[in-house]
Amino acid sequence: MVSRVLAANLSRHTGAVVRVAGWVHRRRRLKSVTFVIVRDRSGLAQVVLPATAEPAVAELPEETVVEVRGRVTANPQAPGGAEITEPVISALSEPAAAPPFDPYRPAVTATLPTILDHAPVTLRHPRLRAGFEVASASVAGFRAALDDLGFTEVRTPKIVSSVTESGANVFGIDYFGRRAYLAQSPQLFKQALVGVFERVYEVGPVFRAEPHDTTRHLAQYTSLDAELGFVADHHDVMAVLRDVVARMVDAVAERAVGAVDLLGFRLPRVPHAIPVIHFAEAQELLARHTAEDPRGEPDLAPAHERWLSEWAQRTHDSEFLFVTGYPMVKRPFYTHPDPERPGYSNSFDLLFRGLELVTGGQRLHRRADYLAALAERGESPEPYQSYVDVFAHGMPPHGGFAIGLERWTARLLGVSNIREVTLFPRDLHRLEP
Amino acid sequence: MVSRVLAANLSRHTGAVVRVAGWVHRRRRLKSVTFVIVRDRSGLAQVVLPATAEPAVAELPEETVVEVRGRVTANPQAPGGAEITEPVISALSEPAAAPPFDPYRPAVTATLPTILDHAPVTLRHPRLRAGFEVASASVAGFRAALDDLGFTEVRTPKIVSSVTESGANVFGIDYFGRRAYLAQSPQLFKQALVGVFERVYEVGPVFRAEPHDTTRHLAQYTSLDAELGFVADHHDVMAVLRDVVARMVDAVAERAVGAVDLLGFRLPRVPHAIPVIHFAEAQELLARHTAEDPRGEPDLAPAHERWLSEWAQRTHDSEFLFVTGYPMVKRPFYTHPDPERPGYSNSFDLLFRGLELVTGGQRLHRRADYLAALAERGESPEPYQSYVDVFAHGMPPHGGFAIGLERWTARLLGVSNIREVTLFPRDLHRLEP
């Protein structure tokens, strides 16, 4: 059997008889010929049928899967500079039902609900598919950076016996007659595994029973988690994160260059030293330069994040900005306080193009500190028992971060709803397909 | 600050003052000196304390986290040929509570339940940790092989609205007041995504509510899934699987060489062409050469798998064996039948060292075939509606496979219970830690 040639490589075979296979992307009947554009994972191939071709073949509907044998003929006007002439076309699928919109049109003409309802066919549109190539390349870059830094990849339970992040937003499961929950993050496990491997990362699903219908939240998303031991403080964590983000951008540029070109978005430059501003100084800046005075507030409002991002761009020529030292009251109980500034923490957010992209920080590493932190918040240590006990066995100072993959991809592409960059999203209303 | 040196690199710094950090692996008090062995992610470093050292330091319990500054001095008897003299030791953690067994003893002396109950500390034992380094290297090999073959990595929903694999063994979730389930496999999604990307893979958790307490089953495990379009039949899938397995073995040899040496297991040679036997011929062989006559049975018993594995070793010098063509009755409804041999399927199992390691095959790709297959099994198409509808939109002939990561690792290491190679396993009785 003639082995298959991908559309993108067609011009390398000029003069030869080859086999291509893919989807009928578009048919165009002219008077003397019919063009059949075949789409495969690499791109498009133009097939030229004579007017005498059997109607059954010339009229195969778009999205039907076909195999084409024919001769590669140079044609500067065809995609890739070559086309297939003298073709023999055979259908590998039934004639395809019409998709809800035409994947061959350059623009995506459907609404988001239509796209999501029919994802198995709508995602075939090259512009929609491209976003997922960017996401996958980003994950490859995340892993490559951490592999080079001596991290070990881990896989942790998604079914847990108690809730450690926050009481709300958790899915309950019937676990062999017991009550269990879907893990909201691998926080507990990645910290425990610092005791085993020193440096760990995990790429996996996390689950939030988000009762709100927003463009930024999903019931399941992909968390890129990292945690490392033997840090002096959160700045060591931020240094790793900087390298990780730079590598993610590089991986997109290398592995998804076609997607970047097609979507026409701009990849950010990641500065060697991302600018850093302390939360309290950020509030001072905002008080001085905007109509608002956020001093005393425990967190930054979205508008503040946008302003600070623009400020970093303006004054440091950076699309990234670290804000450090968020008030302890707004951070989880496992957050390490700043020993120098009471009330503030050794934590950070990484802002990117106006939005919080990553949250991280140094964690407590002594059992006594966990018990004190829980007591201070008026929480019983009981549900956290097995978590807290880990720290009785000698844990190093450590910290980490989590990047929401969908949020990262959306920000990179400049799309406003993360559902556009999620394969089969799950939310308050959506459980299918 | 003097930057940290890993134990494994100590001898490169002979004569210099360095900083090492890690866990007190072992203390040995002799008359004139105390040896403190410090363990970090790279290995062990010997620290020599004079008899005059403060007892508070010389008596830090094992597993306490310490930082040591001192001079690197050559000593052929020390691990790695160098040790630290004139040390200044400071504790980074509280004095550690005693682990349930001593991680410094070469053998693991605890029972499996003890190991699992105290995983955050027991997994620090180098022999236990090593298994996870093998697993992580295997996953890296899986991905590298498929990346090179033009596959796209995907992430699919773990919360689904209906059950497609088999009615039993599924965890129910309360999904915003609706009934939903934890996905038993990404089967449906990976097939649909063949329509988008042609070739996809996913590394992710899958969930089975296994009511049986066996050494081979878990409620959550890691499935290495791949699916590819434009196959002639299942042999094209098997060719990809062969390359994937070979790359997994190579990755273990490259990335986890220390773990392989420590555990002393043998990596298999993956033949360029793994021997293949048809299910019917396998039964003939068993009837001819063993006391049993399995002809007419729809599946292979574990003893048959062992015999066939030994046969492949004996006659083909291979630890791997493909058994193809399993009877349709024992395969899922989406399995493609063998067009030449009624009743048999275009499916396969890959046996490795006596056990089924991978299941895969060609799938149906026409909507009408799905409806017929469900009708033949007396199943209503209704719960499968959105799955079946995917095939109305032009799907290529395709197939795929799934490797259970824990099963693979256990087989490679020669351990009998997959809990030994699972970080924090989940089963009928175990929901913690």
Side-chain angles (χ1 to χ4, degrees):
Chain A
M1 191 165 72
V2 189
S3 76
R4 182 185 174 204
V5 169
L6 290 175
N9 302 333
L10 210 54
S11 64
R12 295 188 205 160
H13 298 265
T14 307
V17 169
V18 301
R19 179 167 64 96
V20 300
W23 288 261
V24 176
H25 188 60
R26 189 168 189 193
R27 278 177 306 123
R28 278 193 302 150
R29 290 200 91 153
L30 306 181
K31 232 180 228 138
S32 56
V33 292
T34 296
F35 291 109
V36 177
I37 311 296
V38 174
R39 183 188 73 240
D40 68 17
R41 71 177 187 272
S42 74
L44 303 174
Q46 178 163 293
V47 179
V48 189
L49 278 173
T52 55
E54 274 186 62
V57 166
E59 284 165 17
L60 284 172
E62 271 108 10
E63 295 308 310
T64 302
V65 179
V66 293
E67 186 173 81
V68 183
R69 284 148 204 272
R71 191 168 299 281
V72 183
T73 306
N75 175 357
Q77 260 135 53
E83 63 189 8
I84 294 183
T85 55
E86 307 159 44
V88 179
I89 301 186
S90 45
L92 297 179
S93 74
E94 298 152 310
F101 71 105
D102 296 323
Y104 63 78
R105 293 193 197 279
V108 176
T109 54
T111 63
L112 186 57
T114 299
I115 291 170
L116 299 180
D117 286 346
H118 304 275
V121 58
T122 56
L123 297 185
R124 295 179 186 178
H125 191 291
R127 291 187 66 90
L128 294 178
R129 188 181 61 194
F132 300 100
E133 285 157 6
V134 171
S136 298
S138 300
V139 177
F142 175 84
R143 289 199 205 95
L146 294 171
D147 284 347
D148 284 355
L149 290 170
F151 281 68
T152 299
E153 187 179 12
V154 297
R155 295 146 297 280
T156 66
K158 303 307 159 201
I159 304 176
V160 295
S161 63
S162 61
V163 181
T164 49
E165 283 281 324
S166 70
N169 302 355
V170 64
F171 288 110
I173 315 175
D174 171 13
Y175 190 78
F176 301 116
R178 292 165 68 186
R179 188 74 176 157
Y181 306 93
L182 285 182
Q184 293 172 295
S185 93
Q187 184 64 30
L188 180 167
F189 299 110
K190 67 177 181 169
Q191 288 187 257
L193 291 171
V194 163
V196 178
F197 301 104
E198 282 191 30
R199 305 181 146 209
V200 294
Y201 69 87
E202 177 166 20
V203 175
V206 297
F207 305 92
R208 308 275 167 111
E210 276 294 340
H212 305 297
D213 209 6
T214 81
T215 58
R216 287 175 63 174
H217 295 98
L218 293 172
Q220 175 187 326
Y221 68 89
T222 302
S223 186
L224 311 183
D225 267 280
E227 197 80 14
L228 60 149
F230 300 99
V231 301
D233 60 26
H234 52 307
H235 290 275
D236 286 345
V237 181
M238 289 153 61
V240 169
L241 174 55
R242 185 267 155 204
D243 287 354
V244 165
V245 170
R247 193 70 166 265
M248 289 170 75
V249 172
D250 288 350
V252 172
E254 282 160 28
R255 300 170 67 124
V257 62
V260 176
D261 287 348
L262 178 66
L263 297 176
F265 67 91
R266 195 175 47 72
L267 285 170
R269 188 181 59 79
V270 184
H272 282 286
I274 292 176
V276 181
I277 189 169
H278 190 277
F279 180 85
E281 290 151 38
Q283 287 193 325
E284 294 288 343
L285 261 188
L286 288 159
R288 212 155 51 232
H289 296 287
T290 74
E292 289 178 77
D293 187 351
R295 286 173 297 183
E297 297 290 327
D299 208 349
L300 295 175
H304 299 152
E305 292 180 348
R306 280 195 298 277
W307 190 90
L308 289 166
S309 250
E310 282 161 25
W311 171 82
Q313 178 71 67
R314 217 162 50 230
T315 60
H316 291 84
D317 190 26
S318 171
E319 296 190 87
F320 295 91
L321 174 67
F322 275 122
V323 181
T324 60
Y326 284 77
M328 285 294 289
V329 290
K330 286 302 274 187
R331 302 301 258 205
F333 72 92
Y334 50 75
T335 305
H336 199 291
D338 180 345
E340 311 286 319
R341 291 176 87 154
Y344 292 103
S345 69
N346 276 358
S347 72
F348 61 84
D349 275 8
L350 178 61
L351 307 187
F352 171 49
R353 294 183 179 168
L355 209 69
E356 173 248 305
L357 179 69
V358 188
T359 291
Q362 186 185 354
R363 330 296 189 180
L364 300 174
H365 63 280
R366 292 187 172 90
R367 186 165 180 277
D369 294 341
Y370 276 89
L371 295 175
L374 288 167
E376 192 167 325
R377 291 176 189 233
E379 289 211 57
S380 154
E382 211 257 310
Y384 304 99
Q385 197 70 53
S386 72
Y387 180 28
V388 166
D389 284 351
V390 168
F391 299 93
H393 291 287
M395 284 289 284
H398 64 283
F401 56 84
I403 308 174
L405 175 63
E406 294 79 2
R407 191 177 282 198
W408 158 261
T409 309
R411 212 66 217 157
L412 215 49
L413 270 57
V415 308
S416 55
N417 194 323
I418 55 172
R419 286 164 187 75
E420 292 181 49
V421 289
T422 306
L423 293 165
F424 315 114
R426 293 293 181 256
D427 64 27
L428 188 54
H429 305 294
R430 186 171 289 280
L431 186 50
E432 281 194 328
Chain B
M1 191 165 72
V2 188
S3 75
R4 182 183 173 206
V5 169
L6 290 175
N9 302 333
L10 210 54
S11 64
R12 296 188 204 160
H13 298 266
T14 307
V17 170
V18 301
R19 180 167 64 96
V20 300
W23 288 262
V24 175
H25 189 59
R26 189 168 189 193
R27 277 177 307 122
R28 277 191 303 149
R29 290 200 91 152
L30 306 182
K31 233 184 226 135
S32 56
V33 291
T34 296
F35 290 109
V36 177
I37 311 295
V38 174
R39 183 187 74 240
D40 67 20
R41 70 177 188 273
S42 74
L44 304 175
Q46 178 163 294
V47 178
V48 189
L49 278 174
T52 55
E54 276 186 60
V57 166
E59 284 167 16
L60 284 172
E62 271 107 11
E63 294 309 309
T64 302
V65 179
V66 294
E67 185 172 81
V68 183
R69 284 147 203 273
R71 189 168 300 282
V72 182
T73 306
N75 175 357
Q77 260 135 53
E83 63 189 8
I84 294 184
T85 55
E86 308 159 42
V88 178
I89 301 186
S90 45
L92 297 179
S93 74
E94 297 151 311
F101 71 105
D102 296 323
Y104 64 78
R105 293 192 197 279
V108 176
T109 54
T111 63
L112 186 57
T114 300
I115 291 169
L116 299 180
D117 286 344
H118 303 276
V121 58
T122 57
L123 297 186
R124 296 179 186 178
H125 191 291
R127 291 187 67 90
L128 295 178
R129 187 180 62 193
F132 300 100
E133 284 157 6
V134 171
S136 297
S138 301
V139 177
F142 175 84
R143 287 198 206 96
L146 293 171
D147 284 347
D148 284 356
L149 291 169
F151 281 68
T152 299
E153 186 179 13
V154 296
R155 295 146 297 279
T156 66
K158 305 306 159 202
I159 303 176
V160 295
S161 62
S162 61
V163 181
T164 49
E165 283 281 324
S166 71
N169 301 354
V170 63
F171 289 110
I173 315 175
D174 171 13
Y175 190 78
F176 301 116
R178 292 166 68 186
R179 188 75 177 156
Y181 306 93
L182 284 182
Q184 293 172 297
S185 92
Q187 183 64 31
L188 179 167
F189 299 110
K190 67 176 182 169
Q191 288 187 257
L193 291 172
V194 163
V196 178
F197 302 104
E198 281 191 32
R199 306 181 146 209
V200 294
Y201 69 87
E202 177 166 20
V203 176
V206 297
F207 305 93
R208 308 275 167 110
E210 277 294 339
H212 305 297
D213 211 5
T214 82
T215 59
R216 285 175 64 173
H217 295 97
L218 293 172
Q220 175 188 325
Y221 69 89
T222 302
S223 186
L224 311 182
D225 266 281
E227 196 80 15
L228 61 148
F230 300 100
V231 301
D233 61 25
H234 52 306
H235 290 275
D236 286 343
V237 181
M238 289 152 60
V240 169
L241 175 55
R242 185 267 155 206
D243 287 353
V244 165
V245 170
R247 192 70 167 266
M248 289 171 77
V249 172
D250 288 349
V252 172
E254 282 160 28
R255 300 170 67 124
V257 61
V260 175
D261 287 348
L262 178 67
L263 297 176
F265 67 92
R266 195 175 47 73
L267 284 170
R269 189 181 57 80
V270 184
H272 281 287
I274 292 176
V276 181
I277 188 169
H278 190 278
F279 181 85
E281 290 151 37
Q283 287 193 325
E284 293 289 342
L285 262 187
L286 288 159
R288 213 155 47 233
H289 296 286
T290 74
E292 290 177 77
D293 186 352
R295 286 173 296 183
E297 298 288 328
D299 208 349
L300 296 174
H304 298 152
E305 292 180 349
R306 280 195 298 276
W307 190 91
L308 289 166
S309 251
E310 282 161 24
W311 170 83
Q313 179 72 66
R314 216 163 50 231
T315 60
H316 292 84
D317 190 26
S318 171
E319 295 190 88
F320 295 91
L321 174 67
F322 275 122
V323 181
T324 60
Y326 284 77
M328 285 294 289
V329 291
K330 287 303 274 187
R331 301 302 257 205
F333 71 92
Y334 50 75
T335 306
H336 199 290
D338 181 346
E340 311 287 319
R341 292 177 86 154
Y344 292 104
S345 69
N346 276 0
S347 72
F348 61 85
D349 275 8
L350 178 61
L351 309 187
F352 171 50
R353 294 184 180 167
L355 209 69
E356 174 247 306
L357 178 69
V358 188
T359 291
Q362 186 185 355
R363 331 295 190 181
L364 300 174
H365 63 280
R366 292 187 172 90
R367 185 166 180 277
D369 293 340
Y370 276 88
L371 294 174
L374 288 167
E376 192 167 324
R377 291 177 189 231
E379 291 211 56
S380 155
E382 211 257 311
Y384 305 98
Q385 197 69 53
S386 72
Y387 180 29
V388 166
D389 284 351
V390 169
F391 300 93
H393 292 287
M395 284 289 284
H398 64 282
F401 56 84
I403 308 174
L405 175 62
E406 295 79 2
R407 192 177 282 198
W408 157 261
T409 309
R411 212 65 217 157
L412 215 49
L413 269 57
V415 309
S416 55
N417 193 323
I418 55 171
R419 286 164 187 75
E420 292 181 49
V421 289
T422 306
L423 293 165
F424 314 114
R426 293 292 180 257
D427 64 27
L428 188 54
H429 305 293
R430 186 171 289 280
L431 186 50
E432 282 192 327

